[in-house]
Amino acid sequence: MAESMCGPSNAVNTFQKHTSVDRTLQQDRLINRQSPSQGFRSSPGPNAGLLDPEFEAFQAGRPPLDSQVATPFTYTHTPSPFQAAGPSWVSDFQNLNIAGPAAQRQTHTPQPQQHEALKGWHQEFVRQQSGMNASHVQSPVQSGLQSSYTPMASGMHMGGQYMGGNMIGGFPGPQVASSIAVQKQPTTDMFDEEAFARAFEEAEQAELEIQAEPEALAEEGTVETETEVATETQQTIILDDSVLLAESAERLMEMESNNQTQPAIGADSILPQNQTERDTHNHDDLARTAGQLLTNVSNDTSDKFQQSKFLDLMRAFRDKEVLVDGDKIVAKPYADLENDAERAVGVAKGATENVVSA
Amino acid sequence: MLQFQTTGFNGYAVKYSPYIDSRIAVGAAQNFGLVGNGRVYVLELTSQGILCPKFYDTQDAVYDIAWSEANENQLLAACGDGTVKLFDVNVAHQPIAQWSEHSREVYSVFWNQVTKDNFVTSSWDGTLKLYNPERAQSLLTLPTHSCTYSTEFSPHSPSIISAVTSDSHIRIFDIRIPASAANHLVHLIPIHGPAPTLANINTRANPLGPRPPPSECLTHDWNKYRGTILATAGVDQIIRTFDLRAPRAGAVTLMSGHRYAVRRISWSPHNSDLLLSGSYDMSVKLWSDGNAMSDASMVTPNLGRELGEMGAHTEFVTGVDWCLFGSQGWVASTAWDQRLLVWDARTIIT
């Protein structure tokens, strides 16, 4: 059905090209990564041991142990309370152990963890790949920052605010969950399913909050606001494949039809019932349906319709002369007739009693 | 006109064998398919009339049947209990394979006519399922989210599956494209017409009056000669043809004449413009959609022409099929009057 995809290019076509790559296995690959040490970004960098005290200080909201190092590194591009530390914060930042000389210039990039290696992540990657992994791991303690190296993760933490609120799926989930919780823990399997589920719940929760109160989240905390601004500058990177998939499918559907707004008709309007409901309502429903059907064909006076056995059966259903019992159609059970008779007798008796008492 | 009595069972579907010119199958159900058992008849057309060498009883109603395209002795039955059963004519009584994956009534089954190695079913549970007859589980589930009365493979492609649903839409799936959030869906065509907009409200003049409301679509069929044309019909009594080259253009042809819902349509295997339809008005009608005529109007939708009507059935007509063999024009029809009729469509052209 490529016909409809010919012709002038448009945004949806581009989206469809994105979606025509099967990425369904990507999540599996992440899950299969058992130990963080196998992932090239998950092991602590060469200066992990130096990072920890600084990070703790940052967490505690006070200047790092080394008084020379004043400012948390995250807030290089927007005003923040921490900047009150003084105009020399830039040099302070440069003195930070986490920042190699090369990374200091990249102040526009909000994720400091991307600079934690002396000469950038790609070099670190190359080093690790070339079998020097063990010598670089100085501490088994994993920095919480490292676990959120993907820009997506901080976005998820914001509850998908910038994503139109519809992004739930995708692999960054566990990273979100771990970005806070795992900060001080020894390395564990952070891609476990619980983390996934938790992240999904968090994302959903956040989405709901956003829908209810869009501005509330912005006030939640300075840290998160900073992160949000930061992530906005990187939206092109942020657009994860799963977001693309979901969005393109959504647009395709919206474009194709107004199907969603159309009320259910015919068989779709018949909801599945459980057995007890079916038993109790079946006779009445059948009688009503049969009655409607007969009304619909009541104008037809042709011989065929007058003599139709099916329509005869429908009349019998309508008048409840026959009933569906299990998988058979049966004449109205005798028990009912007897009950009717008893009731008639009772009524008659009552009437006579009334007459007598009167 | 030949006749066979399916005593006690009301017909739901009839199919000529694609291999043997004298073999024909009927799917039927007790009590008009409301409750009770089903039965698959395997019939032989002989000089002594229509004989029934084999039949298979099923627990629930049989709503559709399909001959295997790969084995001349095998056929499928779509059952009311959600099962699909594969019968072999050489094996008595029991199906040789069964799939119980649909959660509600299976309304149609269709064998792939190109690769001949798989088949597709559709159900009230709002899904299509693709099966390989040699595998115990289905290969693929395609959601429609609506009661799906009819599904077919394109006769021109082994991977294009069409379905029409209770929500008045045609869905075209192409299982070659990778699975994505769209689940292989490539077209979603509103049968009752696109929503009116300022742009099309005046230009899209409908010769049959204002835009009809959505109505349940019960049946559809691919044209055997024009690979992009398919016809649909259903509760609103109008048979429409659509051209998939222009899925948003609306119906190409409208054929109006049935007085009640149309239950089954089938394009001729011999002529590109002939279409047979069976309806709840108890008639079978033969149509031409006019594409073979030189004066076919450039304005769409144009109106097809009713060529004739066969009125011998005395209850709702539920199954029609064309014979692939012999002199062109032989058809079979089945109805709730418990009769299979085999007749020559040329005799009803007026």
Side-chain angles (χ1 to χ4, degrees):
Chain A
M1 294 295 97
E3 290 99 330
S4 71
M5 297 182 185
C6 294
S9 174
N10 61 42
V12 175
N13 282 353
T14 319
F15 267 121
Q16 282 179 330
K17 274 168 202 145
H18 280 287
T19 61
S20 61
V21 184
D22 187 354
R23 297 187 195 276
T24 47
L25 294 176
Q26 219 161 41
Q27 181 170 306
D28 294 352
R29 195 189 64 205
L30 277 169
I31 288 172
N32 288 341
R33 196 163 71 181
Q34 292 300 328
S35 160
S37 66
Q38 292 172 10
F40 78 95
R41 292 297 304 160
S42 305
S43 63
N47 43 9
L50 296 167
L51 272 174
D52 285 326
E54 284 175 9
F55 181 67
E56 290 218 18
F58 163 67
Q59 286 287 91
R62 57 184 158 80
L65 302 173
D66 182 356
S67 57
Q68 301 274 329
V69 184
T71 314
F73 34 76
T74 328
Y75 310 114
T76 56
H77 64 293
T78 45
S80 95
F82 293 96
Q83 285 186 6
S88 64
W89 64 273
V90 173
S91 56
D92 289 337
F93 176 75
Q94 287 171 349
N95 290 335
L96 267 180
N97 285 318
I98 57 153
Q104 289 165 13
R105 312 288 176 261
Q106 303 178 357
T107 49
H108 64 278
T109 313
Q111 263 69 31
Q113 56 271 30
Q114 292 185 351
H115 324 137
E116 67 200 3
L118 282 173
K119 286 173 185 171
W121 63 269
H122 52 285
Q123 289 173 357
E124 183 189 351
F125 173 65
V126 170
R127 266 181 279 123
Q128 292 205 350
Q129 288 300 101
S130 56
M132 297 169 67
N133 194 3
S135 63
H136 281 274
V137 180
Q138 299 178 355
S139 163
V141 179
Q142 182 192 15
S143 162
L145 288 168
Q146 285 171 324
S147 65
S148 62
Y149 62 86
T150 307
M152 195 64 197
S154 46
M156 286 294 292
H157 193 52
M158 294 303 295
Q161 196 170 26
Y162 59 90
M163 287 176 280
N166 59 0
M167 170 52 208
I168 310 218
F171 48 80
Q175 295 167 338
V176 177
S178 60
S179 65
I180 301 301
V182 193
Q183 272 165 3
K184 289 299 289 172
Q185 288 172 6
T187 54
T188 53
D189 182 8
M190 53 194 239
F191 294 101
D192 62 326
E193 294 194 355
E194 273 185 9
F196 250 88
R198 208 162 49 237
F200 273 65
E201 273 170 27
E202 278 177 18
E204 270 177 40
Q205 194 74 39
E207 189 184 327
L208 289 176
E209 283 170 14
I210 285 163
Q211 283 166 0
E213 217 177 336
E215 68 277 10
L217 203 81
E219 299 165 8
E220 241 178 43
T222 325
V223 175
E224 287 187 349
T225 316
E226 297 300 333
T227 322
E228 179 194 17
V229 176
T231 48
E232 272 172 7
T233 66
Q234 297 199 339
Q235 286 223 359
T236 49
I237 312 170
I238 282 159
L239 276 181
D240 181 78
D241 289 319
S242 48
V243 182
L244 288 176
L245 275 178
E247 278 191 1
S248 65
E250 212 171 77
R251 290 183 188 210
L252 182 71
M253 292 306 163
E254 279 173 13
M255 188 183 65
E256 289 284 357
S257 139
N258 55 345
N259 193 23
Q260 283 83 357
T261 61
Q262 178 183 312
I265 54 172
D268 288 344
S269 60
I270 304 172
L271 298 172
Q273 298 171 321
N274 63 35
Q275 192 60 44
T276 51
E277 278 177 346
R278 206 175 297 162
D279 285 344
T280 48
H281 296 301
N282 202 3
H283 301 325
D284 292 341
D285 282 348
L286 197 53
R288 203 179 313 120
T289 309
Q292 281 170 1
L293 194 149
L294 289 168
T295 316
N296 288 342
V297 300
S298 58
N299 294 329
D300 204 307
T301 54
S302 66
D303 286 349
K304 280 205 276 189
F305 272 74
Q306 296 301 319
Q307 294 163 8
S308 163
K309 289 197 178 81
F310 176 72
L311 295 178
D312 277 346
L313 180 68
M314 287 299 112
R315 279 184 207 104
F317 274 127
R318 181 192 59 188
D319 303 336
K320 300 193 181 177
E321 291 165 4
V322 295
L323 298 171
V324 173
D325 181 23
D327 61 349
K328 286 192 174 61
I329 291 178
V330 294
K332 194 169 184 179
Y334 290 112
D336 272 10
L337 290 177
E338 283 168 15
N339 284 342
D340 287 349
E342 279 172 18
R343 210 175 302 128
V345 171
V347 169
K349 271 185 185 170
T352 45
E353 278 166 14
N354 286 343
V355 170
V356 169
S357 62
Chain B
M1 188 176 286
L2 300 169
Q3 171 177 329
F4 179 82
Q5 201 84 30
T6 59
T7 309
F9 289 84
N10 307 101
Y12 259 95
V14 58
K15 289 283 162 63
Y16 274 98
S17 164
Y19 281 94
I20 300 165
D21 60 359
S22 63
R23 191 174 275 181
I24 192 166
V26 173
Q30 284 180 330
N31 301 315
F32 308 101
L34 296 174
V35 288
N37 303 124
R39 184 172 282 182
V40 178
Y41 295 88
V42 179
L43 306 171
E44 294 287 339
L45 304 173
T46 69
S47 50
Q48 288 88 42
I50 303 176
L51 304 179
C52 179
K54 279 271 183 350
F55 65 82
Y56 299 93
D57 281 329
T58 60
Q59 187 69 40
D60 213 315
V62 174
Y63 290 127
D64 197 18
I65 50 172
W67 283 98
S68 166
E69 298 285 336
N71 184 325
E72 74 269 27
N73 289 321
Q74 295 181 355
L75 75 165
L76 290 161
C79 296
D81 54 5
T83 61
V84 185
K85 297 179 201 297
L86 180 64
F87 295 99
D88 191 304
V89 171
N90 297 322
V91 179
H93 308 308
Q94 292 298 317
I96 57 170
Q98 171 168 323
W99 296 265
S100 316
E101 298 194 18
H102 283 295
S103 59
R104 303 196 71 176
E105 287 83 345
V106 187
Y107 279 135
S108 78
V109 59
F110 196 90
W111 204 290
N112 191 326
Q113 293 177 335
V114 180
T115 59
K116 303 175 190 292
D117 61 350
N118 53 18
F119 61 92
V120 64
T121 61
S122 79
S123 164
W124 194 355
D125 67 8
T127 62
L128 311 178
K129 283 183 186 285
L130 181 69
Y131 307 82
N132 181 309
E134 285 158 15
R135 287 174 185 256
Q137 268 84 41
S138 65
L139 307 173
L140 186 66
T141 299
L142 300 169
T144 64
H145 309 294
S146 177
C147 174
T148 310
Y149 287 106
S150 172
T151 185
E152 287 191 357
F153 278 98
S154 162
H156 305 278
S157 164
S159 57
I160 293 177
I161 298 172
S162 59
V164 294
T165 50
S166 193
D167 65 5
S168 193
H169 282 75
I170 305 171
R171 283 172 174 78
I172 307 291
F173 299 91
D174 187 341
I175 56 177
R176 287 171 300 193
I177 66 170
S180 70
N183 275 308
H184 303 287
L185 182 68
V186 290
H187 288 310
L188 181 65
I189 305 170
I191 293 168
H192 50 281
T197 64
L198 284 177
N200 71 12
I201 197 161
N202 294 319
T203 56
R204 194 170 303 286
N206 184 344
L208 293 181
R211 178 180 185 258
S215 69
E216 287 191 281
C217 188
L218 302 178
T219 177
H220 78 302
D221 196 27
W222 289 81
N223 190 287
K224 308 298 184 280
Y225 290 90
R226 293 171 286 153
T228 60
I229 300 287
L230 57 80
T232 69
V235 169
D236 72 355
Q237 307 158 21
I238 302 168
I239 303 167
R240 294 176 173 84
T241 67
F242 291 87
D243 192 334
L244 296 181
R245 290 171 297 188
R248 282 163 221 282
V252 179
T253 312
L254 302 175
M255 288 172 263
S256 177
H258 278 298
R259 290 175 298 120
Y260 289 106
V262 181
R263 186 63 180 80
R264 185 85 65 167
I265 55 177
S266 179
W267 286 99
S268 163
H270 305 295
N271 300 84
S272 69
D273 65 322
L274 291 186
L275 179 80
L276 201 64
S277 64
S279 162
Y280 285 103
D281 67 8
M282 306 185 186
S283 71
V284 179
K285 286 183 194 286
L286 183 66
W287 307 83
S288 166
D289 76 345
N291 77 85
M293 286 176 277
S294 57
D295 64 342
S297 162
M298 292 303 287
V299 180
T300 60
N302 56 346
L303 296 177
R305 199 155 57 89
E306 182 180 335
L307 299 179
E309 175 182 304
M310 196 284 289
H313 282 295
T314 59
E315 295 279 357
F316 301 161
V317 179
T318 50
V320 293
D321 194 32
W322 295 81
C323 182
L324 297 170
F325 307 99
S327 61
Q328 301 174 1
W330 279 90
V331 298
S333 61
T334 186
W336 285 3
D337 60 4
Q338 308 190 356
R339 286 192 303 162
L340 166 74
L341 298 180
V342 176
W343 44 287
D344 189 340
R346 289 167 297 185
T347 59
I348 66 166
I349 296 178
T350 50

